[in-house]
Amino acid sequence: MSAPVPVVAPNGVPGPQAVTGDTTARGFVLYVALDEATAATAGTTFSELVQDVHAYVQSLVPTAESHAVVALAPADTPGSDLDAVRAALGDPTVARRARPEAAPAPSQAQRARPTGALIDLSRREVHLDGEMLNLTFREFEILNYLVENATRTVGREELL
């Protein structure tokens, strides 16, 4: 058995990428493209699948924490099921994924743009309505502090 190699999910580059010295891998995301009808046909449910995956991870690493989320997307969402799951869960790398050449890219007017805010604390990126914002270091630090303390009111003096 070899020692673990630090990697992160690819950003349009085939294969794993090394983690930089100022970051550390703290977990991973597993996207599963599956609808409830297909799961039922296979004799299972989302709940049973999640419990089985959780039990398997716990059998390998008893101290590991896990969290499951079901992706809800409109039935007519274009692209593969996996792309729909990634987009519904706000994966900022979904747009960077290389598309097959056979399918022509939709025009800018046809392309559905995500709405809302996506704050990726690990990458220090903020996306608003699908556009990446260029925040200064201090602006990002304030936003990060507000997100981490979202359950309470943060006063001006505390921010200063």
Side-chain angles (χ1 to χ4, degrees):
M1 193 137 221
S2 63
V5 177
V7 296
V8 294
N11 292 326
V13 179
Q17 298 173 10
V19 173
T20 60
D22 63 339
T23 60
T24 181
R26 304 265 318 257
F28 64 91
V29 175
L30 173 65
Y31 295 106
V32 178
L34 177 69
D35 60 56
E36 290 177 291
T38 305
T41 301
T44 190
T45 65
F46 278 8
S47 178
E48 290 171 343
L49 288 169
V50 168
Q51 289 172 358
D52 289 347
V53 169
H54 176 76
Y56 180 67
V57 169
Q58 291 294 303
S59 73
L60 296 174
V61 184
T63 59
E65 295 176 286
S66 64
H67 179 75
V69 177
V70 174
L72 300 175
D76 60 350
T77 300
S80 71
D81 287 342
L82 189 57
D83 286 342
V85 169
R86 292 176 66 212
L89 296 178
D91 183 342
T93 64
V94 73
R96 298 181 204 162
R97 186 167 165 227
R99 303 281 181 210
E101 296 299 323
S107 70
Q108 195 70 7
Q110 294 173 318
R111 195 173 294 151
R113 298 199 41 137
T115 59
L118 172 66
I119 303 169
D120 188 339
L121 298 177
S122 64
R123 288 193 179 99
R124 302 183 66 83
E125 293 179 355
V126 178
H127 298 261
L128 181 62
D129 295 335
E131 297 287 328
M132 188 160 79
L133 300 179
N134 187 16
L135 299 181
T136 66
F137 176 81
R138 182 63 60 205
E139 290 169 336
F140 188 88
E141 288 299 308
I142 291 171
L143 179 61
N144 185 17
Y145 188 82
L146 291 171
V147 168
E148 289 176 350
N149 294 281
T151 59
R152 63 183 187 85
T153 303
V154 177
R156 180 179 183 274
E157 292 300 316
E158 185 177 350
L159 286 176
L160 293 176

